[in-house]
Amino acid sequence: MVFKQKKDTNEAAKLAATVEAPASGHSLPARTPPKKVIVTGLPNSGKSQIFNNLTGEYSIVANYPLSTICVKQGQFRMGEERYEVYDTPGLYCLFIHSEDELVVRDLIFKEKPDVLLLCIDANLIKQSLALAADLIELQIPMVISVNAIDETSKKGMWIDSDTLSQITGVPVVESIAIKGIGTNRLKNAIQRARVGRLAIHYGDIMARGISTVETLLPKALPYKQKTAILALLNDPFLDNYLIDNVSEGQLQKIHDAVDDVQEYFKGNLARTINHKRAEWVDTVTDKIIKRQVAFSGRVSETIARMCRSVVFGVPILMGIIVITYFLVVNVANWISDWMEKLLWLPVQARIDSLVTYPFWKDFFIGPYGVFTLGVAGALLTVLPILSVYFILYNILEDVGYIPNLSVLSKRVFDKIGLSGASIMPMVLGFGCKTMATLTAKTLTSPKERYITIFLIAFALPCAPQIGLNMGLLGRVGMSAFIIAFSVLAAIEAVTGLILNKIIKDDDKDCFIQALPAIRMPNLKAVVKKTYYRLYWFLEEALPAFMYASIAMFTLDKTGFLRLMKVFLQPVVEGFLGLPSEMVDALILVIARREAAASVIIKMSENGHLNYVQSIVAVVLTTMFVPCLAHIGIIVKHQGWRSTVFMVSVMTVTSVIIAGVLNRVLLIFF
C-alpha cells in the first residue's frame, strides 16, 4: 500500500491558557482554557452563518459552496464556560479528496476538540447524514444543527429532530441560521454535547481488521478506530498524520497489516463500508422525514432550471448585466458627483487656503496628493461604485444564482479543457480573484489548476474592477462596455484553448456541483455583507491608496516618473494610443487595481480619454500585471518560477493585445 506524503496544512492556531497576576505580585493559577468547538458540515450548509451567530464575529456568508476557504476563530461564553469556535471549509467525509478537506481533518485530529457542531442542510439530509455517520465514529461529543428548515417546510417536507436525536444519541437543534433563529438553543445544546452512537456493523472480517490495525497504533493516539478505518481505505493523506506519531518500523507494520486484511477480504472494502453507511442513512431518513403528499410549491426549482438552461439562462444573465450596468453608471456616478461637491470641494478649498508652501500643497492636494489621489480617490471615486455593485452582487449570492451560473457556463469551459470542477473557482473570480485562486487548490488535476489560476489572473475582472470599468465605460456609452467586455471574454476563451493545447493532458476532476435552493434575498443579510465588504475594502485599500499616492508623489518630484513617461512614450502613446498619464495607472495597477481605475476615471472626467482610448485602457489594465496580493497567492500555489513566467507572459501579451485592439478600433471609430 502506498501513502502520499503531504505537507501539513493545519491552519488552526494553538490555544494557550493565559495567566493573570494580581497587583500584589502573587501569581494565580492559569485560567481554564476555553473548550474547543469545531463547526463542520457539507459546503454551503450554513456553517459560517452559525459561526457568526454564536460568536458575534463576521465571516462571509453566501448561498453557494466554497465561500469558506480557511479556518476562522471566534469565542462565546455561556455562564462561566468559555468556548473557542472554529469555522471550517466544507467537508464531505473524513476520507480526504482535497486539501481544504485535509485542513478540516487535521484540525479535528490535532486540536482534539471538545465538541463537534455538525451543520446539516435540511435540503441535503442524506448527504449530511452520511457525514454524520463518519463523524460519530470519532467518538467526540457532538451536536447537530438542522439548518434551513424554513426552506424544507415550503417544499412540504418536515424533519423529526427528536427522532434523529434518539437515533444518534446527540442533541439536535432546529435552526434558521440566516435569521438567527435557534442560536440560544444551540449554545445550550453545546453544553450538553454527548458522544453519539452508530448502529452500523461492517461485518466480522472488517471488524477484526479494524481491531488488528488499532492494536498497532500508539495508546495515546486519539481516534484510533477511525484512523484504522481510514488506513484500511487507503486514505491518500493519512501517512502524513501517522508519521508524526509512530516510528518508521511501526508504520511499516501498519502497512503490512492493512495489506493482509485487504488480501484476505474478498470484496471491496470501501464499497462495503459505503454500502453499510448508505443502508443506515436510508433507514434513518425514512424514520425522520415526513412529506406532504399533495404539494405544488416548485417555483424556486423552476427558476433555478431556467437560470441553468441556454434558452432562458443566457437572457437572464444578459438582463442582470444590463441592470447592473445602468445602476452603476447612473446611480453610482451620481453619488460620486454629489459626494465630490458636498464633501471634497470645500475640503480642497480649505486646504488650498491654509497651505501656502507649494511643495506641501502638492503633497496634500496636488495631482498625486495624499488627499487627492489617496483619500478622495478611494472615498469619492471608488467607494460609491463599489457600494452599488456589491449590493447587486450580494443579492445574487444570497439568491443562489452563482452556482446555477456555473452550470450554465460549463459548456464553455468544456471547450477550453476545463472540467466542471474548475467552473466555481472561475465564477468566483468575478467576485474576488484572490479568493478564487485559493479555491483553485481544490482541483486535483495540475493542468486544470494551472489553466484556472492563469485565466483568473489574466483577463478576468474581479467585482471592484467590473464596477469601476462599468463606471468608466458608462461615460462614453454602453457600446464601449459591450466591446470591452466582449474582447475580454474572447481573450479568456482563446487563452484557455491555447493553454489546453500546449499543456500535457492528465486526469480531469469530475463535476459534482451542489445546487442550493433559489430563495428570496435576505435584505438584512445583504446590507450587512455589503457593509463588511466595504469596511474591509477601506481597511485594506485606503492605506494602500495613500502609500501609492506618496510613492507617485516621490517619483514625480524626483523626476523619475517623467523619465519613465519619456522612455515608454513610443509604447504608451504610439502603439497603445493612450495619453502619457496612463503610465500612472499602469504603475498603480501593481499596488491596487482600484487605485489605477480611479486615476483612469479622473482622466475620463477631465476629457483626456476618448471613446477608443477608454476601451483600450479598460482592456489593458484588466489583463496587466496582477496586484501584489494576488501574486502572493499564485506563488503559494504555483511556486516562484511558474509565477514569474505567468506574470511575464500576461504583461507582454496584454500590451500586444491592447495595441492591436487600438489599431482595429481606430479603423471603425
Side-chain angles (χ1 to χ4, degrees):
M1 179 180 65
V2 178
F3 288 87
K4 249 172 134 179
Q5 297 292 328
K6 292 294 287 186
K7 180 171 101 174
D8 182 13
T9 56
N10 180 28
E11 294 183 31
K14 299 293 181 184
L15 295 175
T18 56
V19 181
E20 292 182 343
S24 61
H26 298 291
S27 61
L28 290 175
R31 291 173 58 192
T32 304
K35 290 186 175 180
K36 302 173 190 175
V37 180
I38 292 182
V39 183
T40 187
L42 298 175
N44 199 39
S45 57
K47 300 182 300 298
S48 294
Q49 186 64 62
I50 285 175
F51 170 83
N52 294 344
N53 295 344
L54 289 174
T55 64
E57 302 285 338
Y58 189 76
S59 181
I60 283 290
V61 178
N63 190 18
Y64 57 75
L66 302 179
S67 55
T68 301
I69 53 178
C70 60
V71 176
K72 299 180 179 68
Q73 297 181 42
Q75 288 194 0
F76 75 91
R77 182 186 293 272
M78 284 292 287
E80 296 299 317
E81 197 72 67
R82 292 184 302 134
Y83 294 90
E84 186 85 28
V85 186
Y86 296 82
D87 181 25
T88 63
L91 180 70
Y92 288 99
C93 62
L94 290 174
F95 182 90
I96 300 304
H97 298 87
S98 62
E99 289 188 18
D100 53 332
E101 289 185 310
L102 181 61
V103 169
V104 183
R105 192 178 74 183
D106 278 351
L107 183 68
I108 294 172
F109 275 33
K110 295 183 179 181
E111 293 299 326
K112 303 172 188 175
D114 299 286
V115 179
L116 280 179
L117 172 52
L118 173 62
C119 297
I120 287 182
D121 183 348
N123 298 287
L124 300 170
I125 194 69
K126 282 196 172 185
Q127 299 93 317
S128 298
L129 286 175
L131 175 59
D134 215 8
L135 295 175
I136 288 173
E137 289 180 337
L138 291 169
Q139 295 294 286
I140 299 173
M142 193 167 159
V143 173
I144 293 176
S145 170
V146 182
N147 191 29
I149 57 172
D150 54 332
E151 294 178 4
T152 52
S153 65
K154 292 176 183 177
K155 298 177 182 178
M157 185 173 76
W158 287 268
I159 296 174
D160 188 342
S161 57
D162 291 335
T163 301
L164 179 59
S165 179
Q166 292 171 11
I167 293 172
T168 59
V170 303
V172 177
V173 177
E174 295 181 357
S175 63
I176 306 175
I178 195 70
K179 298 179 181 178
I181 297 175
T183 302
N184 290 331
R185 293 196 302 273
L186 201 52
K187 288 182 177 181
N188 290 323
I190 289 173
Q191 291 186 306
R192 300 181 285 106
R194 296 192 298 271
V195 173
R197 53 175 175 265
L198 189 66
I200 298 179
H201 183 59
Y202 296 121
D204 293 338
I205 296 176
M206 186 67 180
R208 284 197 296 271
I210 293 172
S211 178
T212 300
V213 176
E214 215 176 328
T215 57
L216 296 172
L217 298 172
K219 290 183 179 180
L221 191 74
Y223 323 128
K224 290 201 293 182
Q225 182 188 44
K226 173 53 70 176
T227 303
I229 293 174
L230 292 173
L232 290 169
L233 292 175
N234 286 349
D235 182 282
F237 297 94
L238 186 65
D239 214 22
N240 183 61
Y241 169 69
L242 290 177
I243 206 167
D244 292 334
N245 295 279
V246 300
S247 65
E248 189 174 339
Q250 286 177 300
L251 186 60
Q252 187 58 51
K253 289 181 180 179
I254 294 170
H255 291 179
D256 294 340
V258 169
D259 290 338
D260 291 342
V261 174
Q262 291 176 337
E263 185 177 348
Y264 184 72
F265 190 79
K266 301 301 181 184
N268 184 297
L269 285 174
R271 189 177 298 128
T272 299
I273 290 176
N274 291 333
H275 178 69
K276 293 290 185 181
R277 285 182 184 165
E279 287 182 341
W280 179 82
V281 168
D282 289 339
T283 301
V284 175
T285 303
D286 291 340
K287 291 180 179 179
I288 67 172
I289 290 184
K290 299 176 182 178
R291 297 181 184 274
Q292 183 177 327
V293 177
F295 179 71
S296 58
R298 304 289 182 186
V299 176
S300 66
E301 296 177 10
T302 302
I303 295 174
R305 282 197 300 271
M306 291 174 65
C307 292
R308 297 192 296 267
S309 72
V310 176
V311 176
F312 297 102
V314 174
I316 289 173
L317 175 60
M318 293 299 103
I320 291 171
I321 292 174
V322 170
I323 291 171
T324 304
Y325 173 84
F326 279 108
L327 287 176
V328 167
V329 170
N330 295 297
V331 177
N333 284 336
W334 176 82
I335 294 174
S336 179
D337 293 340
W338 175 78
M339 290 177 66
E340 182 171 1
K341 292 175 183 176
L342 184 69
L343 302 176
W344 171 239
L345 292 181
V347 172
Q348 185 182 35
R350 184 65 174 167
I351 295 174
D352 188 46
S353 64
L354 291 176
V355 181
T356 56
Y357 192 65
F359 177 88
W360 291 111
K361 183 174 290 190
D362 277 350
F363 179 79
F364 289 118
I365 58 173
Y368 307 109
V370 290
F371 288 113
T372 310
L373 177 60
V375 178
L379 297 182
L380 304 182
T381 305
V382 177
L383 191 64
I385 294 175
L386 290 190
S387 300
V388 174
Y389 186 83
F390 277 151
I391 288 174
L392 296 171
Y393 187 81
N394 292 338
I395 289 174
L396 294 177
E397 280 190 334
D398 207 53
V399 165
Y401 176 74
I402 303 298
N404 291 286
L405 174 60
S406 70
V407 175
L408 174 65
S409 58
K410 180 180 183 297
R411 295 174 178 85
V412 176
F413 288 101
D414 283 340
K415 302 296 183 183
I416 59 176
L418 298 178
S419 72
S422 306
I423 294 172
M424 184 55 76
M426 289 289 292
V427 173
L428 293 181
F430 290 105
C432 174
K433 294 170 76 164
T434 302
M435 188 185 85
T437 304
L438 284 171
T439 62
K441 71 179 181 180
T442 61
L443 303 174
T444 57
S445 163
K447 175 180 178 177
E448 281 194 80
R449 188 164 57 246
Y450 186 93
I451 295 176
T452 301
I453 291 175
F454 192 102
L455 293 180
I456 290 171
F458 191 33
L460 193 73
C462 61
Q465 201 167 14
I466 292 173
L468 292 166
N469 287 346
M470 284 182 174
L472 167 63
L473 296 171
R475 297 177 182 275
V476 292
M478 189 172 185
S479 59
F481 166 75
I482 294 173
I483 293 171
F485 278 77
S486 297
V487 169
L488 290 172
I491 291 169
E492 283 285 87
V494 172
T495 304
L497 288 170
I498 294 172
L499 291 174
N500 184 41
K501 290 292 184 183
I502 63 177
I503 299 177
K504 185 179 178 181
D505 285 332
D506 57 11
D507 294 332
K508 286 186 178 182
D509 290 325
C510 62
F511 179 53
I512 302 175
Q513 175 65 64
L515 295 174
I518 292 287
R519 66 188 185 200
M520 290 294 292
N522 184 302
L523 295 182
K524 181 180 178 182
V526 169
V527 171
K528 187 175 184 180
K529 183 157 51 172
T530 302
Y531 163 78
Y532 273 101
R533 277 185 162 151
L534 292 175
Y535 174 80
W536 292 334
F537 163 76
L538 289 176
E539 185 179 45
E540 181 181 339
L542 190 56
F545 271 61
M546 297 181 72
Y547 294 145
S549 68
I550 293 172
M552 294 296 295
F553 177 81
T554 304
L555 291 174
D556 182 50
K557 289 301 180 184
T558 56
F560 190 71
L561 183 60
R562 182 179 58 82
L563 291 176
M564 288 182 65
K565 290 180 179 180
V566 171
F567 178 74
L568 295 174
Q569 184 179 10
V571 175
V572 176
E573 296 186 16
F575 183 58
L576 297 174
L578 296 170
S580 61
E581 296 98 313
M582 193 64 195
V583 174
D584 303 346
L586 295 179
I587 295 172
L588 291 171
V589 161
I590 302 172
R592 294 283 306 192
R593 272 180 149 71
E594 298 92 335
S598 70
V599 168
I600 299 173
I601 289 174
K602 286 297 181 185
M603 290 167 61
S604 177
E605 290 175 350
N606 296 331
H608 296 167
L609 291 179
N610 59 28
Y611 183 88
V612 170
Q613 290 172 326
S614 297
I615 297 173
V616 174
V618 165
V619 172
L620 175 63
T621 53
T622 302
M623 294 187 299
F624 204 60
V625 183
C627 66
L628 293 175
H630 193 187
I631 290 175
I633 297 298
I634 298 174
V635 170
K636 180 179 178 182
H637 292 296
Q638 296 296 126
W640 274 107
R641 182 178 298 178
S642 180
T643 302
V644 170
F645 176 77
M646 276 189 184
V647 172
S648 301
V649 170
M650 290 175 195
T651 305
V652 174
T653 306
S654 64
V655 173
I656 294 173
I657 292 175
V660 173
L661 177 63
N662 172 53
R663 300 301 173 90
V664 172
L665 290 176
L666 286 175
I667 295 173
F668 296 98
F669 304 98

